């Protein structure tokens, strides 16, 4: 009996180790695009990816229950508390859903309860990884995912694909838009913002010449697929990312970062911008990209929006979708209309004119508010603010240059994604990468334990 107990204890220790959390994250990151390749080869689009993230949710809640029960007397952090609250409010949203059938059975690309638990668990797993080498390996896996996704995206811009995309097939295929292994060009645009920020960030900060040159090529090609998705929300994300870079370089200069390194980063940024400009010109002149979207934006600004909806049609009908969603908030403010059940704000409205419905809010923040309620939105925004503050502090104050640059890359990814999220939707094959990014920024060594003060930390450091 004692031997059995020891084996169980050793197993629990193994699955709650830092290295296991690394493999847990790495498996999900690689499995999402790879399984989609096999799905499409067998004419099964968007089949494996939701199940993989759901499995990550079930397994994640198990290993973290084991972690917190097994390790007594450990320090707790704000990320731990937010993980618990995110889980609780997601469950309450599902329990009190206005339409339980749609909440629990889903509709096409709706996210299931344990998809969300998968997101939260991937985030918390990221906080557990403190070893610098493991964190660098995760960045390398992001680059690998970029290569996989972008390879298919480039081919699609020349009309070559494994199979027709999942949504808007006729439009996307005829226009030769890129959609990678994501089935939709808008979602692919959102993902490529994150991946472009990662690969270009690696180009800006890496010391290795081979890695630097490789990342430059990958990031420029990634940018080509990003604008070839012709998703205007992706342009917003890129602008947010570049704005972050400009501000962060100014801040680091004032903070006294070594002048030679900062000059190198600035020069590389100019080279990156030049590459982006050349790709943009080529995309416009030779492939006719972007022009249609610019003209559409002008039309919307003039008041003739999506399907002649006026101002409500701006952003391909996004303003209409947002207004319809916010209309339901007073009646379902606490826990929302139902977990990822945005479509019900249309169907349950007695004044709905039947024009069209949407299963997503096309704004992640409004989507959280409408479907999961005020408490969940506050929790989510608290997590984002905590991530931003923690990340910025550890870029500015970190004495380890490698750690500083790792955090700098991750912060660019974070701000790029959160910018485009104002116009995009959370989908199960994209958003796990963002939650992993958040977790890596909130690694436990970057956070302050709950109940500890700056004075206590300085005292402990002095004793050490």
């Amino acid at each position: 009996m004692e031997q059995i107990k020891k084996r169980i204890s050793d197993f629990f220790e193994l699955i709650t180790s830092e290295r296991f959390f690394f493999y847990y994250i790495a498996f999900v990151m690689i499995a999402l695009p790879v399984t989609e390749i096999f799905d499409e080869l067998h004419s099964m689009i968007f089949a494996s990816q939701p199940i993989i993230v759901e499995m990550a949710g079930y397994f994640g809640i198990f290993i973290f229950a084991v972690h917190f029960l097994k390790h007594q007397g450990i320090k707790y952090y704000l990320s731990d508390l937010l993980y618990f609250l995110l889980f609780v409010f997601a469950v309450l949203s599902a329990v009190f859903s206005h339409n339980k059938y749609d909440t629990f059975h889903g509709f096409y690309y709706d996210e299931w309860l344990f998809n969300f638990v998968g997101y939260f668990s991937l985030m918390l797993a990221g906080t557990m990884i403190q070893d610098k080498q493991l964190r660098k390996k995760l960045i390398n896996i992001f680059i690998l995912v970029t290569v996989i996704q972008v390879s298919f995206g480039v081919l699609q811009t020349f009309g070559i694909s494994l199979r027709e995309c999942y949504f808007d097939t006729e439009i996307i295929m005829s226009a030769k838009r890129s959609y990678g292994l994501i089935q939709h060009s808008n979602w692919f645009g959102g993902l490529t913002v994150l991946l472009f920020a990662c690969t270009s960030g690696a180009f800006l900060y890496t010391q290795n010449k081979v890695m630097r040159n490789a990342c430059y090529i990958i990031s420029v090609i990634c940018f080509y697929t990003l604008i070839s998705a012709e998703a205007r929300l992706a342009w917003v994300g890129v602008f947010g990312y570049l704005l972050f870079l400009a501000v962060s370089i100014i801040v680091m200069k004032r903070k006294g970062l070594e002048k030679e390194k900062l000059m190198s980063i600035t020069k590389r940024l100019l080279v990156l911008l030049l590459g982006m400009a050349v790709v943009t010109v080529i995309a416009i002149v030779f492939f006719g990209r972007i022009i249609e979207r610019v003209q559409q934006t002008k039309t919307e600004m003039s008041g003739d929006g999506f399907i002649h909806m006026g101002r409500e049609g701006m952003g391909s009908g996004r303003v209409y979708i947002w207004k319809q969603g916010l209309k339901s908030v007073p009646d379902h403010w606490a826990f929302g209309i139902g977990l990822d059940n945005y479509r019900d704000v249309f169907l349950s409205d007695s004044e709905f004119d039947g024009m069209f419905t949407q299963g997503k809010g096309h704004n992640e923040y409004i989507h959280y508010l409408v479907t999961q309620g005020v408490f969940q939105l506050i929790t989510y925004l608290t997590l984002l603010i905590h991530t931003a503050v923690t990340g910025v502090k550890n870029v500015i104050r970190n004495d380890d240059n490698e750690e500083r640059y790792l955090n700098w890359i991750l912060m660019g990814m974070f701000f790029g994604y959160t910018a485009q999220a104002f116009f995009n939707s959370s989908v199960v094959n994209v958003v796990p990468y963002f939650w992993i990014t958040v977790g890596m920024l909130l690694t436990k060594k970057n956070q302050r334990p709950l109940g500890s003060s700056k004075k206590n930390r300085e005292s402990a450091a002095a004793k050490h």
Side-chain angles (χ1 to χ4, degrees):
M1 181 61 73
E2 290 298 322
Q3 190 175 13
I4 293 174
K5 287 182 178 179
K6 184 179 184 305
R7 286 181 178 178
I8 293 174
S9 179
D10 290 344
F11 174 71
F12 285 165
E13 196 65 44
L14 173 66
I15 65 173
T16 56
S17 66
E18 184 176 4
R19 185 163 290 274
F20 188 86
F21 287 129
F22 164 79
Y23 287 122
Y24 169 67
I25 292 173
F27 170 79
V28 174
M29 290 179 69
I30 296 172
L32 289 177
V34 169
T35 54
E36 181 59 24
I37 294 173
F38 289 99
D39 282 349
E40 293 195 23
L41 286 172
H42 294 280
S43 300
M44 293 288 293
I45 297 176
F46 197 55
S48 299
Q49 294 164 312
I51 296 172
I52 288 169
V53 180
E54 184 182 32
M55 289 168 59
Y58 283 111
F59 192 65
I61 203 73
F62 170 71
I63 58 177
F64 285 115
V66 170
H67 170 74
F68 289 118
L69 290 173
K70 181 176 177 59
H71 300 110
Q72 301 296 319
I74 61 174
K75 294 178 180 178
Y76 292 94
Y77 298 80
L78 181 57
S79 57
D80 299 326
L81 175 61
L82 293 173
Y83 173 79
F84 174 74
L85 291 176
L86 286 164
F87 173 75
V88 168
F89 292 133
V91 170
L92 289 173
S93 175
V95 169
F96 292 102
S97 174
H98 184 265
N99 186 336
K100 289 185 175 60
Y101 182 86
D102 281 353
T103 289
F104 286 100
H105 293 276
F107 180 88
Y108 292 129
Y109 47 85
D110 285 353
E111 296 158 297
W112 311 326
L113 174 60
F114 272 85
N115 288 153
F116 283 98
V117 178
Y119 306 158
F120 308 153
S121 297
L122 288 167
M123 179 273 294
L124 197 60
T127 71
M128 301 290 183
I129 301 173
Q130 303 188 65
D131 181 78
K132 180 169 59 179
Q133 296 307 314
L134 292 179
R135 285 162 55 75
K136 288 170 67 175
K137 286 179 180 178
L138 285 177
I139 292 293
N140 289 336
I141 294 173
F142 267 108
I143 295 172
L144 174 61
V145 170
T146 306
V147 172
I148 296 172
Q149 290 282 2
V150 164
S151 297
F152 286 90
V154 170
L155 291 174
Q156 287 154 7
T157 63
F158 293 96
I160 304 170
S161 62
L162 289 175
R163 195 172 183 272
E164 294 180 347
C165 62
Y166 190 32
F167 294 99
D168 303 330
T169 297
E170 185 177 343
I171 297 173
I172 292 176
M173 297 297 288
S174 62
K176 296 182 180 179
R177 294 179 188 169
S178 56
Y179 56 90
L181 295 165
I182 307 298
Q183 303 93 36
H184 195 290
S185 58
N186 275 2
W187 305 337
F188 182 70
L191 176 63
T192 48
V193 168
L194 196 71
L195 300 180
F196 171 70
C198 177
T199 53
S200 62
F203 161 70
L204 292 175
Y205 310 124
T206 187
Q207 300 284 354
N208 185 291
K209 187 175 181 179
V210 174
M211 184 68 171
R212 180 190 68 198
N213 293 338
C215 284
Y216 180 74
I217 294 170
I218 295 169
S219 63
V220 169
I221 296 173
C222 182
F223 181 71
Y224 165 71
T225 62
L226 185 156
I227 59 177
S228 294
E230 299 201 54
R232 290 174 291 174
L233 54 91
W235 307 350
V236 175
V238 170
F239 176 78
Y241 167 59
L242 294 177
L243 180 62
F244 161 76
L245 287 179
V247 172
S248 62
I249 287 174
I250 293 170
V251 170
M252 295 306 289
K253 183 177 181 180
R254 292 185 176 180
K255 290 293 180 180
L257 180 68
E258 58 268 29
K259 292 182 179 179
E260 185 177 343
K261 181 61 180 177
L262 192 59
M263 181 61 70
S264 173
I265 292 172
T266 304
K267 287 180 179 178
R268 293 186 196 185
L269 177 57
L270 294 175
V271 172
L272 177 66
L273 292 173
L274 177 62
M276 293 169 64
V278 170
V279 168
T280 301
V281 171
I282 291 173
I284 293 173
V285 175
F286 293 98
F287 298 101
R289 306 286 180 194
I290 302 176
I291 297 173
E292 179 187 345
R293 291 304 190 182
V294 172
Q295 291 174 340
Q296 183 181 351
T297 303
K298 289 181 178 179
T299 300
E300 291 174 346
M301 295 297 291
S302 68
D304 189 11
F306 183 65
I307 54 175
H308 307 294
M309 293 171 61
R311 294 294 181 185
E312 288 193 358
M314 291 182 64
S316 299
R318 278 172 171 76
V319 173
Y320 170 73
I321 295 167
W322 299 340
K323 288 179 68 175
Q324 189 69 29
L326 294 173
K327 186 178 177 181
S328 72
V329 172
D331 293 329
H332 307 280
W333 66 272
F335 305 119
I337 199 164
L339 188 75
D340 207 48
N341 191 19
Y342 202 96
R343 195 176 303 277
D344 217 48
V345 303
F346 299 90
L347 303 179
S348 63
D349 183 6
S350 60
E351 298 178 359
F352 176 55
D353 57 12
M355 184 174 293
F356 73 91
T357 66
Q358 252 296 341
K360 292 290 184 180
H362 287 75
N363 177 308
E364 288 191 26
Y365 312 106
I366 292 177
H367 191 89
Y368 269 93
L369 172 63
V370 172
T371 59
Q372 298 187 47
V374 170
F375 298 122
Q376 185 71 304
L377 177 64
I378 291 173
T379 305
Y380 183 55
L381 292 179
T382 301
L383 174 68
L384 297 186
I385 293 169
H386 178 50
T387 303
V389 171
T390 302
V392 168
K393 284 182 178 178
N394 284 283
V395 169
I396 294 173
R397 300 176 182 176
N398 208 309
D399 294 327
D400 185 327
N401 282 335
E402 278 195 308
E403 281 287 351
R404 171 186 289 141
Y405 299 136
L406 276 173
N407 287 320
W408 208 337
I409 292 171
L410 293 165
M411 285 301 296
M413 297 166 66
F414 174 85
F415 279 109
Y417 185 91
T418 52
Q420 65 83 43
F422 280 97
F423 303 95
N424 207 356
S425 303
S426 167
V427 287
V428 73
N429 45 2
V430 173
V431 76
Y433 295 103
F434 176 66
W435 285 91
I436 291 166
T437 302
V438 170
M440 290 177 68
L441 281 167
L442 292 178
T443 183
K444 295 295 173 68
K445 63 182 178 183
N446 285 354
Q447 293 187 75
R448 184 175 70 189
L450 291 174
S452 72
S453 65
K454 183 177 179 182
K455 184 177 180 180
N456 291 338
R457 295 200 321 277
E458 290 174 348
S459 176
K463 290 178 182 179
H464 180 71

